[in-house]
Amino acid sequence: MFNQLFGNIWLVTLASGAVIMGFLTVNALFLVWLERKLSARFQRRLGPTEVGFAGTLQTLADAVKLLGKQLITPRNADKPLYHLAPVIVFMPVVVGVSLFPIDRQLMFVDLNVGLVLVFAFAGIGFIGIFMAGWGSNNKYALLGAMRAVAQNIAYEIPLILSALSVTLLARSMKLSAIVEAQSTLPYLLFQPLGAAIYLIGAVAETNRAPFDIPEAESELVAGFHSEYSGMRFAVFFLAEYSNMAIVSMVATTLFLGGYHGPWLPGYVWFFIKVYGLISLMMWFRWTFPRLRFDQLMSFAWTVLVPLSLANLMGTAVVLKVFRR
Amino acid sequence: MTATTRAKTNYLVTVLGGLFSLLAGMLITLRNLFRRPVTEQYPKSKPALSKNFRSAIALVRFEETQTHDCVACMQCVQICPSFCIAIEGDKPEGLKRKRATEFHVDYALCSVCGLCIDVCPTNTLKYSRVYDQVAYRRDAFVYDLLTEFRDAEVAYLEKARQEAAAKEAAKQAAAAARANKDTAPAAANASKELEND
């Protein structure tokens, strides 16, 4: 769509980048507000009420406050790593968002390896997290970063395996083709186990409760971003909430039929599904207690990985036997 | 049943039980999501106080007189363990009963024990329901309890004086009548005697 509009690939890239950055910022502001509001209601509190209608502008005010804060760099920090880490964490997210079909005619880039690219860029983010933890020269930040990397490697495997079984069904890694294949029924009905594994893995990937061990406040201050202040901290926050949006977009595309849905226009359905999943993740966070680290790792390696492997094998066998 | 299969069924039971407990927990948070928040937006909405709420003492305003009934007996001053009550009293002109002319309570000292309320012979002391007093100086907590009664007190005293005067007049009239009664029978007898004659 944008290619036909502009013709110039650089202009298109620039415009898409600007649109996605704007979307991600508004998305993060909205999600922080939603999280605070939902957590409050789950605990029978009111949450933000003062700034704007029902506190909607509270996060904007917080963002302005963060912009005005002093950026502190620890004296013994590894400066290049420390300064580069927030960028490395955030940039893959921008690329990731551009890959999803938001509507039949609305997507920024349509690649035939879209699914691979999504997970590849998600993987780059963890390098950024480890850079932040290492560069901070702080034992808590380093411990948090180590946990984050270990956890993310452990959960990436079942995540990708469950996504693979969907590509077997759709016979494509092109995200638009996967969505088109679900025009009648979403893959959630054919892959309930895969969807469940994906959801668990996605919560772990975004480092959210009950898998928020890398940021366990009671043990690690704030985990890998303990030493970051002001806008650098805000970028980590932005990346965290954008990652929530991305894993939800992947889940929407793979299991919930993307933009397909009755009556409403496609992009409305897409965002309804994405924000519904995000709300579900917030619901998890404010319900479940945090896992212990060994529980988390053994759950990933001894339960999720075998289950997702079995799911992939089962899917392959069933497809080989029954398809045409 | 061998040990391994039992262990396996136990494992399955554990997993399913754990899954059920997760769902149960989510149901609890969901239920709370739709319940009313319990937050009290304090300056915007005031809390509902308990019936037994105690705060600084205040004077009771009686229905019939529209004023307090402190007779400056000083019993509350004497019983107060915190020495926070200061009263001055005087007999108003034309009246025989004492009335309080000054009534100060230092709420910064008061421990809200309620002994003054128990000891009051005219039941004119009660707990007030104020709870959010704020000040920069301690002496701001010395309350003059009579301020709100000034006008009512003047009216009451005027009325009491009139009543007292009326009572006095009635008393005098009665006395005069009694004096007349004392002389009247004699006069009647005298008139009778006159008739008989």
Side-chain angles (χ1 to χ4, degrees):
Chain A
M1 180 182 142
F2 281 93
N3 278 315
Q4 289 151 14
L5 269 179
F6 295 104
N8 186 328
I9 187 71
W10 296 110
L11 262 181
V12 173
T13 312
L14 210 64
S16 311
V19 169
I20 290 166
M21 295 279 256
F23 164 73
L24 285 179
T25 312
V26 174
N27 172 65
L29 291 178
F30 170 70
L31 285 186
V32 173
W33 172 81
L34 186 71
E35 174 119 55
R36 290 185 61 181
K37 214 62 185 169
L38 276 180
S39 68
R41 290 305 172 122
F42 280 133
Q43 299 168 348
R44 300 191 70 188
R45 294 181 287 112
L46 285 172
T49 55
E50 296 298 322
V51 192
F53 173 71
T56 35
L57 297 180
Q58 179 69 53
T59 46
L60 195 64
D62 290 347
V64 171
K65 182 204 76 174
L66 281 172
L67 272 172
K69 285 224 163 185
Q70 186 188 3
L71 293 173
I72 299 164
T73 309
R75 190 181 301 132
N76 293 325
D78 192 334
K79 299 273 164 15
L81 287 184
Y82 181 83
H83 290 308
L84 210 56
V87 184
I88 302 267
V89 168
F90 182 61
M91 284 323 287
V93 180
V94 181
V95 181
V97 173
S98 66
L99 298 165
F100 295 99
I102 293 161
D103 202 345
R104 214 172 299 275
Q105 292 297 313
L106 182 62
M107 69 187 298
F108 294 100
V109 197
D110 193 9
L111 296 168
N112 52 7
V113 289
L115 194 59
V116 177
L117 214 59
V118 169
F119 288 116
F121 276 107
I124 293 180
F126 306 131
I127 299 176
I129 287 178
F130 199 72
M131 281 166 72
W134 185 264
S136 296
N137 198 6
N138 172 318
K139 60 187 166 211
Y140 296 117
L142 183 59
L143 275 172
M146 280 162 63
R147 285 179 175 193
V149 171
Q151 170 180 336
N152 283 314
I153 289 171
Y155 279 88
E156 193 117 277
I157 294 163
L159 201 71
I160 292 174
L161 286 177
S162 61
L164 260 184
S165 43
V166 169
T167 62
L168 287 182
L169 282 175
R171 292 180 163 183
S172 175
M173 285 195 175
K174 198 172 180 176
L175 290 172
S176 58
I178 291 174
V179 174
E180 265 322 307
Q182 301 175 70
S183 54
T184 45
L185 286 173
Y187 281 154
L188 177 67
L189 302 176
F190 302 108
Q191 287 284 342
L193 184 61
I197 293 168
Y198 180 85
L199 186 63
I200 296 170
V203 175
E205 280 283 290
T206 47
N207 296 335
R208 290 179 60 82
F211 305 111
D212 61 343
I213 290 155
E215 291 162 36
E217 290 98 344
S218 45
E219 311 160 24
L220 292 179
V221 193
F224 57 86
H225 57 62
S226 297
E227 291 289 357
Y228 285 87
S229 60
M231 213 49 212
R232 290 188 192 132
F233 166 75
V235 169
F236 278 114
F237 227 63
L238 193 63
E240 188 187 323
Y241 279 93
S242 307
N243 262 324
M244 275 176 79
I246 286 198
V247 293
S248 301
M249 282 175 179
V250 175
T252 305
T253 309
L254 295 185
F255 297 105
L256 300 180
Y259 48 74
H260 290 298
W263 306 304
L264 295 169
Y267 60 90
V268 176
W269 268 113
F270 182 80
F271 282 113
I272 285 176
K273 286 166 182 174
V274 167
Y275 285 105
L277 278 171
I278 292 174
S279 306
L280 183 66
M281 285 162 73
M282 288 178 178
W283 186 7
F284 287 158
R285 175 170 173 185
W286 296 102
T287 304
F288 300 141
R290 185 182 301 136
L291 267 74
R292 218 170 51 216
F293 194 60
D294 59 311
Q295 292 171 334
L296 176 92
M297 294 308 273
S298 70
F299 180 63
W301 290 109
T302 64
V303 180
L304 281 188
V305 172
L307 261 184
S308 56
L309 267 174
N311 185 48
L312 180 63
M313 283 300 289
T315 310
V317 168
V318 167
L319 283 178
K320 189 70 188 166
V321 173
F322 290 105
R323 186 177 262 172
R324 268 172 280 267
Chain B
M1 195 185 259
T2 58
T4 47
T5 55
R6 193 178 296 126
K8 259 177 196 156
T9 50
N10 284 348
Y11 180 72
L12 207 67
V13 165
T14 313
V15 168
L16 289 178
L19 202 65
F20 175 75
S21 78
L22 289 182
L23 290 177
M26 287 182 71
L27 209 67
I28 287 171
T29 41
L30 188 69
R31 214 180 300 133
N32 279 310
L33 179 66
F34 295 110
R35 285 165 81 187
R36 251 160 52 86
V38 292
T39 307
E40 198 170 73
Q41 295 280 78
Y42 163 63
K44 291 178 195 163
S45 65
K46 301 279 171 121
L49 297 177
S50 151
K51 218 172 74 183
N52 295 339
F53 185 80
R54 290 177 167 200
S55 184
I57 53 167
L59 289 169
V60 179
R61 190 186 286 274
F62 289 99
E63 280 280 321
E64 59 270 31
T65 61
Q66 286 303 309
T67 184
H68 65 90
D69 197 16
C70 179
V71 293
C73 67
M74 304 292 173
Q75 287 196 52
C76 50
V77 178
Q78 303 232 337
I79 204 161
C80 181
S82 318
F83 308 109
C84 64
I85 307 176
I87 305 178
E88 275 171 39
D90 199 6
K91 270 186 198 162
E93 212 181 299
L95 286 178
K96 284 180 178 157
R97 240 177 145 191
K98 244 168 115 183
R99 297 287 291 176
T101 54
E102 297 289 335
F103 199 125
H104 292 286
V105 177
D106 189 348
Y107 191 41
L109 297 180
C110 177
S111 57
V112 209
C113 66
L115 287 174
C116 48
I117 291 170
D118 293 341
V119 86
C120 183
T122 55
N123 287 327
T124 194
L125 282 178
K126 64 171 183 184
Y127 297 113
S128 70
R129 298 177 78 75
V130 293
Y131 57 87
D132 49 1
Q133 306 97 317
V134 184
Y136 284 106
R137 296 172 56 80
R138 270 211 272 176
D139 50 19
F141 290 105
V142 179
Y143 300 134
D144 183 359
L145 296 190
L146 290 179
T147 39
E148 55 170 317
F149 292 101
R150 292 284 180 220
D151 297 340
E153 184 73 1
V154 170
Y156 168 73
L157 286 181
E158 193 52 46
K159 211 173 145 201
R161 250 184 233 113
Q162 282 171 10
E163 267 169 24
K167 218 170 166 185
E168 193 61 29
K171 213 171 168 187
Q172 278 176 8
R178 212 180 304 120
N180 279 345
K181 226 177 185 179
D182 288 343
T183 52
N189 287 345
S191 62
K192 247 182 194 168
E193 276 164 20
L194 279 176
E195 268 173 28
N196 287 349
D197 284 340

